[in-house]
């Protein structure tokens, strides 16, 4: 019998950096929300791929909060990490920041993305467990577990 593998949160931690170009700006002079959502989805995919070592697909995006705008030539930094792992699903927290020339970061968005590992036929596959060590990781795990239960309840209710 094979023993279940476990990985640490930092094993799949991912940081992506972009510079906003004019073609990514909407009519109000701000970054298109859809462009940021694409970057969030891609970054969450990298985190879950690194954790599972398998092909992954997006199952849901929770709690996508646009807190502040971003503008042309801003440097955007996405920092993503696993917060909760089920049998086949992985919840990834993605924080988006604007970084100034001194390296100071201001949070403009937070999202929780649920990714599922799949095989070549699109069937869900079991993923490694997650080792949570710090108090922050433990708090994120507990919050992720609550969001998981809420998503399960919503599916049952037809949402």
């Amino acid at each position: 019998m094979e023993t279940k593998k476990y990985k640490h949160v930092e094993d799949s931690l991912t940081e992506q950096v972009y510079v906003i170009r004019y073609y990514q700006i909407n009519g109000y002079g701000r970054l298109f929300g859809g462009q940021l959502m694409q970057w969030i989805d891609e970054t969450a995919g990298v985190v879950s791929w690194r954790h599972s070592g398998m092909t992954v697909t997006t199952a849901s995006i929770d709690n996508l909060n646009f807190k502040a705008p971003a503008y042309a030539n801003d440097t955007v930094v996405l920092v993503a990490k696993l917060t909760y792992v089920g049998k086949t699903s992985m919840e990834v927290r993605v924080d988006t920041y604007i970084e100034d020339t001194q390296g100071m970061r201001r949070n403009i968005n937070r999202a929780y993305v649920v990714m599922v590992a799949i095989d070549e036929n699109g069937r869900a596959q079991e993923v490694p467990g997650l080792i949570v060590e710090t108090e922050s990781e433990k708090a994120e795990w507990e919050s992720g577990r609550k969001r998981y239960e809420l998503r399960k309840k919503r599916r049952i209710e037809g949402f």
Side-chain angles (χ1 to χ4, degrees):
M1 180 172 173
E2 188 179 319
T3 353
K4 183 169 173 131
K5 295 179 183 176
Y6 287 85
K7 292 185 175 181
H8 296 271
V9 172
E10 65 267 14
D11 292 340
S12 59
L13 180 70
T14 299
E15 188 171 298
Q16 295 278 69
V17 180
Y18 301 92
V19 176
I20 300 174
R21 301 294 179 212
Y22 287 99
Y23 66 87
Q24 297 164 323
I25 297 298
N26 65 23
Y28 298 104
R30 299 172 175 193
L31 175 65
F32 276 112
Q35 177 64 70
L36 181 55
M37 291 186 333
Q38 177 184 337
W39 291 341
I40 288 168
D41 189 40
E42 289 170 349
T43 306
V46 170
V47 170
S48 56
W49 171 79
R50 284 178 167 174
H51 180 76
S52 68
M54 294 178 247
T55 300
V56 295
T57 190
T58 307
S60 70
I61 298 178
D62 290 356
N63 204 21
L64 182 63
N65 291 317
F66 293 95
K67 298 176 181 182
Y71 301 95
N73 295 320
D74 280 349
T75 299
V76 176
V77 180
L78 287 83
V79 179
K81 63 181 180 178
L82 281 171
T83 54
Y84 182 80
V85 171
K87 184 177 179 179
T88 62
S89 66
M90 298 157 279
E91 183 187 75
V92 181
R93 173 179 159 175
V94 184
D95 287 299
T96 304
Y97 302 91
I98 296 299
E99 185 175 277
D100 68 21
T101 55
Q102 285 75 46
M104 294 298 297
R105 293 179 177 180
R106 177 175 49 91
N107 185 267
I108 64 164
N109 192 290
R110 174 169 294 157
Y112 289 91
V113 182
V114 178
M115 307 295 290
V116 175
I118 56 173
D119 66 13
E120 60 279 353
N121 297 312
R123 287 189 296 264
Q125 297 297 297
E126 189 169 351
V127 298
L130 188 65
I131 300 168
V132 292
E133 299 172 302
T134 68
E135 290 307 311
S136 173
E137 289 171 357
K138 290 173 185 174
E140 281 284 6
W141 177 272
E142 185 57 29
S143 295
R145 186 190 61 74
K146 289 176 183 175
R147 284 187 294 273
Y148 173 81
E149 292 299 326
L150 182 58
R151 284 190 293 270
K152 203 158 73 169
K153 182 179 177 189
R154 285 181 173 168
R155 269 194 312 275
I156 292 166
E157 292 173 354
F159 285 98

